Amino acid sequence: MQKSSSESKDFLRSIVEEDLKSGKYNEVHTRFPPEPNGFPHIGHAKSICINFGIANDYNGLCNLRMDDTNPTTEDTQYVEALKDAVEWLGFDWEGNVRYTSDKFDELYNYAIELIKMGKAYVDSASEEEIRENRGTVTEAGKRSKYAERSVEENLELFERMKRGEFKDGTHILRAKIDMSANNMKMRDPLLYRIRNVEHYRTGDAWHIYPMYDFAHCLTDYMEGITHSICTLEFENNRAIYDWVLETLGLTEKRPYQHEFARLGINYTVMSKRKLLELVNEGKVNGWDDPRLPTIAGYKRRGYTPESILNFCDGIGIAKANSMVDVAQLEFSIRDDLNTKVPRVLAVLDPLKVTIINYEGSEEIDAPYYPHDVPKVGSRKIPFSKEIYIERDDFMENPPKGYFRLTPEQSVRLRHAYIITCNEVIKDADGKIVEIKAEYHANSKSGEDTSGIKVKSAIQWVDAKEARKVEVRVYDRLFKDEAPEGLEDINPNSLQVIKDALIEPAVITEKPDERFQFERQGYFYADPVDYTDEKPVFNKIVGLKDSWGKKTKADKPVVKAQPKKVQIDGEVVAMTEAEQALFDKYTSELKLNSEVANTLARDAKLSSFYEEALAELNSPVVLANMVSNEVARELKEKQIDELKFSAKQIAELIKMVDDATISNKIAKQLFEEMVKTGENPKAIVEAKGLVQISDPVVIAPIIDEIIAKNPDNVEKFKAGNTKLLGFFVGQVLKATKGKGNPKVVNELVGKILNQ
Ligand code: ATP
Ligand code: MG
């Protein structure tokens, strides 16, 4: 798994490679060393990805170590949360979980050694005196008068500190280094302090606890760590790290510390202290509240481990601190789910529609997945005289450019018929309570001969058969981009919808746990509160980034030119021409509104798309390629500056359509076309990229993967069917992305179930 391309290597991997090459170490051994004083957050995920990722990449090892030297804040519930997070992200730690507290005896002995060498002393000055005597950046510090104590006196005092004879803060063990060092951390740093409290693991066995600077380097050394990777704020502590190991003569195959930049994300807080405050003050519902940036929160919200790994990978490893836009994380979950989850119909704010000319009932067959998702499966959607649509999807007096149901305008019910409104029924307050409509029997989706033109298709559910569900819609927890504290909390970060409705198959068939509710976003069956009797779904993320736009929409809209269109519940301004395109793309070509919006609003993109479409009638797959890959290229270039043409893109997609190549290879091919301008077919032939669909070729690869993973096979056979995805992924990887996902999927299932 060694990374081959040198461009994609980060500075930490470069260091590791050099150290392996020079023979400094035979094997890389990293560790992830959290303090169990809070739940891990996305910043920890970054550190987990780096430490475990490097070990994986270079066939090394990575320990999971609880850095538990502070008895007042640590707890086993945090230990469990940390183990959970690492496992959920898909990593295995080496051997048992390690605890710095398991090394308290050894650490104590090292301290004794330093005292005996005259390199450490017990200081009995007050905390305040110690601070005052440390000096400033421009002024040297003053060594404590207690530094002159004899070795014997130091040993005796340290022993008595250990036995619990002194109050907290009365004595402290310090290293004797240099009170005038430029690096202030080196001015006789603290090694041990008195804490007369119970430790969650060692109970009352100890009354002194080692400081980070003393314990960390030594524990690294004792565990055989080679690369001790930490965040930038420890840069100045590196000198102590080195001093302790060198002074004690622990230089053979010793570890070295390397620092990288902390991850920060906007619109949230990350420090465990601040997260703890949110939890303790009841601002959120526990550590796994889906609005928190904790791993437990993301997990509960429905994020996938893959999306978090991709995110961490994508932001890279930097040497300078910076802030990452939360939209990037949201993009990565959307991107992952887009290729994976079933599409279903749900109505969040139901409005009743009675179809006066329909009698009886029927079941409409509808696929769960769009064409470009390599998965198969379908369900039956019940349909009868009474249905519900989204309240938003009907307007009695619509503004111009409203494309859904109105008294004058028909609309398609997704996967079903076109309906026309006959009558609007209101209650005494004038609120619309029901629509009477008629359906057009010859307009059924897929066999429409009605000739009726509609401008959009909307979601709906059958009144009798739909299930009631609770939907929890989350917004950002803070309204401020760089929140200071509780005062910046977004008061509307949670909206609970009690009476949403969903098509029954979602509950009865459970094709998945995560879904795209069409036109609404991605949702996840809440892992704690969901039951079939009282289903609860969490909104994972919307279909597009709405935050930036929303704030713009808050400003007064100029009434003059642009019209507005609703995309996923959000108002977006469009010109008339753009609107016409958007309309055509969504209703005729069946593009999702996000993609349609991207294309319609960019003249370069839409003309490129139309040109490709003229070559190949594969609107959805073409649109995806144009709105993503091609869009990226057209950001800074004109069409005639591109090395590839619309015709070539059509050829590329044709190869995907007829299963010559996989989606993944298509993306690689595209990158090649961008660079060389060569014809896709020629590249496929030259490089032998033809997709492997032949079971005879694929089966042995599957056998090999199965043989390599006996544990997972056992878990799968014991009922953990989620591991199917693991095996499919491994096989696809082994074919370098050339395996036909559909064939691999089926074959893996078959072989595993034998
Ligand atoms: P916090 O300040 O959020 O409480 P911490 O640094 O005190 O975090 P630890 O439990 O000591 O948390 O950290 C465990 C490991 O995770 C350390 O190696 C630390 O450097 C790393 N880490 C913590 N926060 C981040 C972050 N935001 N980005 C990258 N790595 C982080
Ligand atoms: Mg810390």
Side-chain angles (χ1 to χ4, degrees):
M1 282 227 284
Q2 217 118 327
K3 297 232 161 161
S4 51
S5 101
S6 57
E7 308 129 87
S8 66
K9 214 186 310 155
D10 53 79
F11 76 94
L12 290 173
R13 282 179 170 80
S14 301
I15 293 171
V16 167
E17 269 182 33
E18 232 156 75
D19 287 349
L20 289 173
K21 209 156 68 196
S22 72
K24 185 168 175 183
Y25 308 109
N26 302 324
E27 187 177 47
V28 56
H29 199 155
T30 55
R31 84 288 171 264
F32 170 59
E35 184 184 353
N37 61 349
F39 271 55
H41 48 62
I42 185 84
H44 291 103
K46 176 83 204 168
S47 178
I48 290 170
C49 286
I50 291 177
N51 283 296
F52 285 93
I54 287 181
N56 280 351
D57 283 357
Y58 298 97
N59 288 317
L61 304 169
C62 182
N63 290 358
L64 171 59
R65 179 199 312 155
M66 300 301 148
D67 201 9
D68 53 355
T69 56
N70 182 4
T72 50
T73 54
E74 294 158 3
D75 194 86
T76 44
Q77 66 154 323
Y78 303 131
V79 172
E80 291 311 312
L82 284 155
K83 284 158 63 177
D84 233 44
V86 174
E87 271 176 347
W88 185 68
L89 288 171
F91 295 108
D92 293 320
W93 51 86
E94 208 282 312
N96 294 327
V97 175
R98 316 298 167 101
Y99 295 87
T100 304
S101 57
D102 281 349
K103 297 275 196 290
F104 280 170
D105 280 321
E106 287 92 332
L107 291 169
Y108 179 75
N109 289 336
Y110 279 125
I112 299 277
E113 224 175 296
L114 281 184
I115 295 173
K116 285 183 178 163
M117 295 163 89
K119 296 289 187 186
Y121 61 94
V122 174
D123 193 349
S124 307
S126 70
E127 216 176 295
E128 209 185 333
E129 276 174 283
I130 292 180
R131 201 176 323 115
E132 270 170 16
N133 287 333
R134 184 161 280 141
T136 66
V137 190
T138 50
E139 242 175 284
K142 234 174 45 215
R143 183 157 276 158
S144 163
K145 61 176 187 237
Y146 299 106
E148 297 315 314
R149 279 176 168 151
S150 70
V151 169
E152 289 67 33
E153 192 183 352
N154 279 322
L155 286 175
E156 193 206 315
L157 278 171
F158 191 47
E159 168 69 24
R160 290 176 61 197
M161 282 164 67
K162 179 192 177 199
R163 282 207 301 262
E165 291 186 19
F166 303 118
K167 283 211 187 86
D168 285 18
T170 49
H171 305 280
I172 197 145
L173 186 74
R174 299 180 74 173
K176 201 175 207 172
I177 307 182
D178 180 1
M179 287 305 290
S180 56
N182 281 335
N183 176 356
M184 291 191 48
K185 297 259 175 187
M186 291 293 271
R187 296 183 183 175
D188 292 8
L190 315 184
L191 304 182
Y192 263 93
R193 60 181 170 179
I194 300 172
R195 278 277 182 280
N196 290 298
V197 279
E198 288 224 344
H199 184 277
Y200 76 106
R201 292 188 83 240
T202 58
D204 57 7
W206 292 86
H207 296 270
I208 51 171
Y209 292 90
M211 306 297 290
Y212 174 91
D213 283 323
F214 183 66
H216 207 85
C217 51
L218 287 168
T219 314
D220 278 347
Y221 178 82
M222 288 186 270
E223 289 182 9
I225 301 304
T226 57
H227 298 80
S228 180
I229 299 166
C230 65
T231 36
L232 277 178
E233 67 272 22
F234 292 101
E235 202 169 1
N236 285 333
N237 302 60
R238 194 195 322 133
I240 313 179
Y241 190 103
D242 292 339
W243 182 89
V244 171
L245 292 182
E246 273 158 28
T247 305
L248 286 167
L250 307 174
T251 50
E252 191 54 25
K253 299 273 177 211
R254 57 156 283 202
Y256 283 87
Q257 177 184 307
H258 307 275
E259 308 91 22
F260 71 99
R262 261 181 121 70
L263 167 65
I265 293 192
N266 58 8
Y267 294 104
T268 193
V269 294
M270 205 98 102
S271 102
K272 282 180 284 187
R273 188 179 51 76
K274 288 188 181 166
L275 294 173
L276 185 67
E277 191 178 29
L278 288 169
V279 173
N280 285 347
E281 302 259 322
K283 301 291 177 191
V284 293
N285 303 315
W287 281 102
D288 68 347
D289 188 296
R291 291 166 292 178
L292 287 180
T294 53
I295 307 296
Y298 290 121
K299 183 174 166 188
R300 174 130 188 215
R301 181 151 174 175
Y303 271 64
T304 57
E306 293 81 3
S307 65
I308 293 187
L309 297 178
N310 282 339
F311 168 73
C312 290
D313 225 36
I315 54 178
I317 305 177
K319 277 188 185 176
N321 286 323
S322 67
M323 188 71 97
V324 172
D325 193 337
V326 63
Q328 211 170 324
L329 178 64
E330 291 165 353
F331 171 84
S332 116
I333 179 66
R334 209 180 278 129
D335 195 44
D336 188 36
L337 297 178
N338 179 36
T339 63
K340 284 185 180 164
V341 304
R343 273 56 167 178
V344 298
L345 303 181
V347 170
L348 303 188
D349 184 8
L351 172 63
K352 186 170 165 188
V353 176
T354 304
I355 303 170
I356 49 177
N357 61 340
Y358 189 92
E359 292 306 329
S361 67
E362 67 184 290
E363 290 194 311
I364 296 171
D365 211 8
Y368 276 128
Y369 306 97
H371 299 304
D372 55 335
V373 171
K375 285 186 165 186
V376 279
S378 65
R379 82 292 196 185
K380 305 244 187 262
I381 314 178
F383 181 83
S384 67
K385 194 181 184 72
E386 285 183 357
I387 62 168
Y388 285 100
I389 65 170
E390 205 68 63
R391 182 166 286 279
D392 259 9
D393 284 340
F394 175 80
M395 269 183 112
E396 197 174 18
N397 301 301
K400 232 177 155 191
Y402 182 84
F403 292 131
R404 292 159 283 164
L405 189 63
T406 75
E408 274 77 46
Q409 183 168 268
S410 306
V411 80
R412 172 171 302 284
L413 299 174
R414 176 80 169 134
H415 297 304
Y417 302 94
I418 293 174
I419 56 169
T420 302
C421 167
N422 280 6
E423 193 185 345
V424 182
I425 300 182
K426 296 178 186 169
D427 66 11
D429 301 327
K431 184 181 170 191
I432 300 174
V433 291
E434 185 185 345
I435 304 292
K436 299 233 188 260
E438 60 185 276
Y439 88 116
H440 303 274
N442 57 355
S443 70
K444 196 166 173 185
S445 204
E447 49 201 65
D448 182 2
T449 56
S450 70
I452 302 171
K453 287 262 176 283
V454 290
K455 293 184 171 171
S456 63
I458 61 172
Q459 69 271 30
W460 56 277
V461 294
D462 183 77
K464 253 206 293 319
E465 301 293 332
R467 302 293 180 94
K468 194 157 101 176
V469 293
E470 176 176 324
V471 174
R472 298 172 184 168
V473 179
Y474 304 102
D475 200 347
R476 294 187 181 156
L477 187 53
F478 290 91
K479 51 186 181 340
D480 206 275
E481 172 149 18
E484 301 273 330
L486 300 183
E487 67 277 13
D488 295 320
I489 278 192
N490 170 8
N492 305 314
S493 60
L494 171 63
Q495 182 199 358
V496 179
I497 301 169
K498 293 272 186 197
D499 299 320
L501 294 170
I502 202 158
E503 57 168 296
V506 172
I507 314 293
T508 57
E509 287 181 10
K510 292 200 183 39
D512 206 331
E513 295 162 327
R514 296 180 181 82
F515 300 88
Q516 184 189 105
F517 292 180
E518 292 206 37
R519 301 178 68 230
Q520 319 257 27
Y522 293 99
F523 293 80
Y524 180 51
D526 186 273
V528 177
D529 295 335
Y530 178 100
T531 62
D532 282 353
E533 290 67 45
K534 278 194 70 183
V536 178
F537 287 91
N538 296 323
K539 181 163 182 178
I540 307 169
V541 68
L543 291 174
K544 66 192 288 281
D545 180 16
S546 58
W547 187 264
K549 300 264 169 53
K550 204 190 284 175
T551 38
K552 268 180 224 150
D554 281 342
K555 293 177 190 149
V557 182
V558 189
K559 281 221 179 93
Q561 286 271 329
K563 301 228 177 99
K564 283 169 278 162
V565 130
Q566 277 235 352
I567 297 166
D568 308 327
E570 179 220 336
V571 180
V572 180
M574 280 194 183
T575 67
E576 211 151 313
E578 287 169 354
Q579 249 173 45
L581 272 182
F582 177 81
D583 184 25
K584 171 174 136 190
Y585 290 165
T586 46
S587 54
E588 253 176 64
L589 302 181
K590 305 266 184 284
L591 306 188
N592 75 42
S593 50
E594 184 178 0
V595 169
N597 178 44
T598 308
L599 296 179
R601 288 151 68 82
D602 185 321
K604 279 194 288 187
L605 281 185
S606 53
S607 86
F608 190 99
Y609 176 59
E610 302 271 333
E611 205 184 323
L613 205 54
E615 298 284 335
L616 177 75
N617 184 22
S618 184
V620 175
V621 190
L622 272 177
N624 283 344
M625 179 111 233
V626 175
S627 64
N628 288 302
E629 280 77 15
V630 177
R632 188 191 73 206
E633 290 302 309
L634 276 178
K635 229 179 199 160
E636 277 132 34
K637 293 181 191 145
Q638 294 305 316
I639 290 184
D640 56 12
E641 290 172 326
L642 296 177
K643 285 203 171 166
F644 55 88
S645 64
K647 192 167 165 202
Q648 285 177 335
I649 294 297
E651 273 173 41
L652 174 69
I653 298 302
K654 182 153 187 309
M655 287 192 281
V656 177
D657 278 355
D658 63 20
T660 310
I661 57 169
S662 66
N663 257 316
K664 181 141 189 205
I665 294 292
K667 297 217 163 126
Q668 283 176 27
L669 263 185
F670 176 80
E671 299 309 329
E672 196 72 27
M673 290 161 65
V674 168
K675 273 192 241 139
T676 64
E678 237 188 288
N679 204 292
K681 271 199 185 133
I683 307 176
V684 167
E685 268 157 39
K687 300 207 163 177
L689 295 177
V690 174
Q691 174 159 258
I692 310 170
S693 303
D694 186 350
V696 178
V697 181
I698 294 174
I701 302 176
I702 297 178
D703 289 340
E704 200 176 311
I705 299 290
I706 286 181
K708 267 196 217 152
N709 295 282
D711 289 359
N712 279 345
V713 173
E714 206 166 294
K715 283 187 208 158
F716 176 85
K717 300 224 152 146
N720 187 352
T721 50
K722 280 186 196 152
L723 283 167
L724 193 66
F726 163 81
F727 285 106
V728 171
Q730 291 290 310
V731 173
L732 289 177
K733 209 162 167 187
T735 63
K736 299 206 168 54
K738 287 192 284 182
N740 180 334
K742 223 170 176 169
V743 178
V744 171
N745 232 311
E746 281 168 18
L747 216 53
V748 166
K750 227 196 251 160
I751 296 181
L752 276 177
N753 284 315
Q754 267 167 12

